[in-house]
């Protein structure tokens, strides 16, 4: 069994991909060729956002808006304690201090009420209100931004996050690396009202290219202009008129071409993902001890990963049993952010973010992709049942 079956997808659209690649080979504009703009327009229309700036990765899609906002060492940036490292790495790269906020134990998204408490704690420099990094007690930091990760494919609760951010003057960056194509209350991710959103086109993502890629979305035209400048070494009127520090942050034309071919089937694949998830729910409902992912009412998930929670202490044996049955699994993520060695200097204790810690100990990702059939989901559920019985 495959964990993610990119070969099945390729077999379906191979001729379309080859035609797109051929077109790039013919015109030869490998950097910022016409496919990049075509893709940006297509992604804007799909998501319902005003501006899209394609870029080199999901990580740069987070870094670039933070750079545009001038986030730096005097700033605190609130990030979820349970996410992929890039969410907290991006502000830390700019010298800002990540302030961890615990997550919802079911959706794994940043908890809005905890965000509010963390902001208050930071403003009062009082860690009895909410756990704070050492740096926030030693010096005064400005609460500048919150980055919320739409973990595993479902959007965070922006309708609750945005009013809090507005009250405290924070920018909100949606980390939609795992959620492109999902929706919340009738709107698609990357167009949920945040100041900016970044997504990833890493090959295993719901919309993936054949290398690294990403995109930033925003409704703010001035920000989009700045992002276009940052993407190309801080260019001004032309690329040798550098007006700010930037990056080599462009998306390759070839990757844009591949994404355009994949856009042809993306909506169909999102539907297939819903079907696979429904089969899993049906088969897992009868496996005691396994909590299947829950999608909130009026929301859809694209299930970038299909992660279940197992009883404490059983994960390693369950994964070993599944492996023996030819079923691959993965752990996203074995360590919460506040426990990573790179952040040891922030001085957090593991128990300070209990939901993140618990998730890191009990979570297991099962095989999931749009080309999976019902029998495969049943096979996984049966193997889980045996392992837990
Ligand atoms: C939540 C999250 N944020 C950011 C990223 C970074 O994306 P990329 O690998 O394209 O840099 C990822 C990629 O795995 C992710 O899962």
């Amino acid at each position: 069994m495959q964990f993610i079956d990119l070969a099945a997808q390729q077999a379906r659209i191979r001729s379309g991909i080859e035609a797109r690649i051929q077109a790039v080979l013919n015109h030869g504009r490998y950097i910022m060729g016409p496919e990049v703009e075509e893709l940006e327009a297509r992604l804007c229309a799909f998501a319902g956002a005003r501006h899209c700036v394609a870029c080199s990765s999901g990580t740069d899609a987070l870094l670039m808006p933070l750079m545009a906002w001038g986030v730096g060492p005097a700033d605190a940036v609130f990030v979820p304690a349970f996410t992929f490292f890039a969410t907290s790495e991006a502000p830390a790269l700019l010298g800002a201090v990540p302030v961890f906020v615990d997550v919802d134990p079911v959706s794994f998204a940043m908890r809005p009420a905890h965000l509010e408490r963390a902001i208050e704690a930071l403003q009062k420099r009082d860690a009895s209100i909410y756990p704070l990094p050492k740096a926030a007690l030693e010096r005064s930091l400005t609460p500048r931004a919150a980055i919320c990760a739409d973990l595993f494919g479902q959007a965070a609760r922006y309708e609750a996050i945005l009013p809090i951010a507005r009250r405290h003057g924070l920018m909100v960056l949606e980390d939609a690396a795992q959620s492109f194509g999902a929706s919340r209350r009738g709107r698609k991710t990357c167009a949920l009202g945040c100041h900016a959103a970044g997504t990833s086109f890493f090959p295993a993502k719901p919309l993936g290219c054949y290398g690294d890629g990403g995109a930033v979305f925003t409704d703010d035209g001035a920000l989009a202009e700045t992002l276009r400048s940052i993407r190309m070494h801080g260019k001004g009127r032309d690329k040798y008129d550098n007006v700010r520090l930037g990056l080599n942050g462009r998306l390759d034309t070839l990757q844009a071409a591949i994404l355009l071919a994949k856009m042809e089937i993306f909506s169909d694949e999102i539907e297939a993902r819903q079907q696979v998830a429904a089969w899993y729910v049906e088969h897992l409902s009868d496996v005691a001890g396994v909590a299947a992912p829950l999608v909130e009412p009026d929301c859809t998930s694209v299930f970038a990963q299909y992660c279940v929670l197992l009883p404490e202490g059983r994960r390693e044996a369950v994964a070993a049993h599944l492996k023996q049955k030819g079923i691959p699994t993965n752990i996203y993520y074995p360590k919460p952010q506040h426990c990573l060695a790179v952040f040891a200097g922030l001085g957090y204790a593991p128990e300070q973010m209990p939901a993140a810690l618990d998730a890191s100990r009990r979570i297991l990702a099962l095989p999931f992709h749009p080309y999976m059939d019902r029998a495969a989901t049943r096979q996984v559920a049966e193997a889980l049942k045996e392992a837990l019985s």
Side-chain angles (χ1 to χ4, degrees):
M1 190 182 295
Q2 303 268 2
F3 188 71
I4 289 178
D5 192 352
L6 288 176
Q9 182 199 53
Q10 191 185 98
R12 179 177 174 195
I13 50 166
R14 176 95 185 208
S15 62
I17 287 177
E18 282 176 354
R20 280 288 188 175
I21 290 175
Q22 195 72 51
V24 178
L25 296 179
N26 288 342
H27 67 58
R29 291 175 58 193
Y30 303 118
I31 300 292
M32 295 307 286
E35 284 80 1
V36 175
E37 249 185 64
E38 184 184 345
L39 176 72
E40 289 175 338
R42 189 90 182 255
L43 295 173
C44 270
F46 178 88
R50 271 208 199 117
H51 306 278
C52 169
V53 180
C55 66
S56 46
S57 69
T59 305
D60 283 352
L62 299 177
L63 192 58
M64 286 167 35
L66 298 175
M67 288 171 76
W69 295 330
V71 168
D75 297 325
V77 176
F78 299 89
V79 291
F82 190 62
T83 179
F84 178 67
F85 178 50
T87 318
S88 38
E89 181 185 32
L93 272 171
L94 298 174
V97 177
V99 177
F100 295 112
V101 178
D102 209 1
V103 295
D104 181 274
V106 176
S107 71
F108 311 112
M110 180 187 280
R111 290 186 80 165
H114 285 232
L115 171 63
E116 184 128 54
R117 274 165 50 206
I119 298 168
E120 190 194 340
L122 187 94
Q123 284 165 338
K124 296 185 175 158
R125 285 166 79 177
D126 181 354
S128 71
I129 299 171
Y130 201 78
L132 288 175
K134 263 196 220 155
L137 297 170
E138 291 162 1
R139 59 197 166 97
S140 170
L141 295 169
T142 308
R144 276 300 301 279
I147 313 178
C148 302
D150 301 340
L151 217 61
F152 306 139
Q154 177 173 207
R157 292 184 53 208
Y158 296 103
E159 66 281 0
I161 299 274
L162 285 165
I164 296 170
R166 221 170 284 129
R167 273 201 296 283
H168 297 281
L170 254 59
M171 307 304 274
V172 180
L173 175 56
E174 177 187 3
D175 180 348
Q178 302 187 3
S179 69
F180 192 69
S183 65
R184 184 163 190 96
R185 301 182 167 186
R187 291 163 77 183
K188 292 241 174 68
T189 58
C190 298
L192 293 172
C194 299
H195 298 89
T199 195
S200 164
F201 302 128
F202 184 82
K205 294 289 190 263
L207 179 64
C209 56
Y210 288 159
D212 279 306
V216 189
F217 295 82
T218 182
D219 285 343
D220 176 345
L223 174 63
E225 266 320 291
T226 307
L227 292 169
R228 289 182 204 285
S229 163
I230 289 173
R231 169 172 75 176
M232 216 185 267
H233 295 293
K235 77 177 175 78
R237 268 192 315 275
D238 67 64
K239 68 177 175 179
Y240 301 119
D241 172 34
N242 308 90
V243 295
R244 58 173 62 79
L245 294 176
L247 302 167
N248 175 353
R250 298 171 296 246
L251 178 72
D252 291 344
T253 309
L254 276 167
Q255 300 304 343
I258 286 154
L259 288 164
L260 281 164
K262 291 202 181 187
M263 280 301 283
E264 298 294 328
I265 55 162
F266 187 47
S267 295
D268 192 55
E269 287 190 334
I270 292 171
E271 263 180 50
R273 285 175 179 274
Q274 311 309 310
Q275 177 61 76
V276 176
W279 288 328
Y280 259 132
V281 167
E282 184 187 324
H283 298 306
L284 290 175
S285 66
D286 141 86
V287 185
V290 173
L294 277 186
V295 180
E296 290 175 47
D298 222 7
C299 297
T300 58
S301 173
V302 284
F303 301 99
Q305 302 297 345
Y306 194 85
C307 291
V308 297
L309 285 173
L310 299 173
E312 170 107 54
R314 305 291 298 275
R315 181 171 64 193
E316 275 56 44
V318 169
H321 181 81
L322 266 61
K323 187 174 177 196
Q324 192 219 326
K325 297 257 165 188
I327 300 170
T329 58
N330 270 311
I331 298 172
Y332 306 112
Y333 297 93
K335 270 194 184 181
Q337 297 297 294
H338 66 293
C339 297
L340 292 173
V342 63
F343 291 135
L346 296 178
Y348 281 94
E351 304 72 32
Q352 284 182 307
M353 303 283 145
L357 187 64
D358 183 63
S360 71
R361 289 175 173 164
R362 293 173 48 215
I363 204 148
L364 189 70
L366 305 178
F368 190 96
H369 57 83
Y371 301 94
M372 206 165 167
D373 61 17
R374 186 188 194 110
T377 59
R378 191 183 321 113
Q379 194 188 335
V380 175
E382 275 165 11
L384 279 169
K385 199 171 185 176
E386 284 165 16
L388 286 164
S389 63

